[in-house]
Amino acid sequence: MNSGLYAALAVPFLAVAVLTAVAAGIVAARRSGPSAPGGSRARAVSGRRIALIAGIVAGIALLVMTVVFNNVIVTLGIVAYDPARISGIRVGAFPIEDLAYAIAAAFLLPALWVLFDRAGGRDQTAGRDRVAATGTRHATQPPTRPEDPR
């Protein structure tokens, strides 16, 4: 009888990843609210849509690579699973619960990117446009060098 111990071990990782992704979604929604600095709400929604699509594409690529390389390392005997501790469902040569870590990473990494965004969702290029228009520098921009008079 299969105990599913490996699946049970993956549950906390998935739970942390999903909760972090929910928190990141709340933070991103608050940053792009009606008083969002540096731009309109429509631009923020468009940016979130692009980030979501990029995250989905990256997540699918991660899952595909996980399936390919897990099959290779299990088939070559580099990694083995105790049959008594897996659910019994396999994707090729490896147990399905091994995909939980790739799924957790696909949720967790973009969420951490949002949560640790030092710009707070603001457009980093806005200051450059202001320099060109007004000749004044934003506090975080390096000083410009004078043109060579030759």
Side-chain angles (χ1 to χ4, degrees):
M1 182 175 161
N2 298 337
S3 69
L5 176 65
Y6 291 148
L9 289 172
V11 169
F13 291 101
L14 285 170
V16 167
V18 169
L19 289 174
T20 305
V22 169
I26 292 168
V27 168
R30 286 186 180 165
R31 285 181 183 162
S32 66
S35 62
S40 69
R41 182 163 177 80
R43 188 167 66 190
V45 170
S46 174
R48 281 200 320 253
R49 185 174 299 129
I50 290 168
L52 178 65
I53 291 169
I56 289 170
V57 169
I60 290 170
L62 179 64
L63 286 174
V64 168
M65 289 189 308
T66 300
V67 167
V68 169
F69 291 111
N70 277 3
N71 275 304
V72 169
I73 64 175
V74 171
T75 302
L76 291 175
I78 297 170
V79 174
Y81 296 92
D82 183 354
R85 294 202 163 96
I86 61 173
S87 66
I89 303 169
R90 292 186 173 269
V91 177
F94 70 93
I96 195 164
E97 50 264 41
D98 207 27
L99 287 176
Y101 302 104
I103 293 168
F107 278 101
L108 189 60
L109 295 176
L112 291 174
W113 186 273
V114 169
L115 292 174
F116 293 122
D117 179 16
R118 292 174 66 181
R122 293 184 304 270
D123 185 5
Q124 292 287 322
T125 62
R128 292 186 193 130
D129 297 336
R130 187 176 7 186
V131 170
T134 64
T136 59
R137 215 173 11 91
H138 189 269
T140 61
Q141 289 182 322
T144 57
R145 293 184 179 171
E147 294 291 323
D148 188 7
R150 292 188 262 177

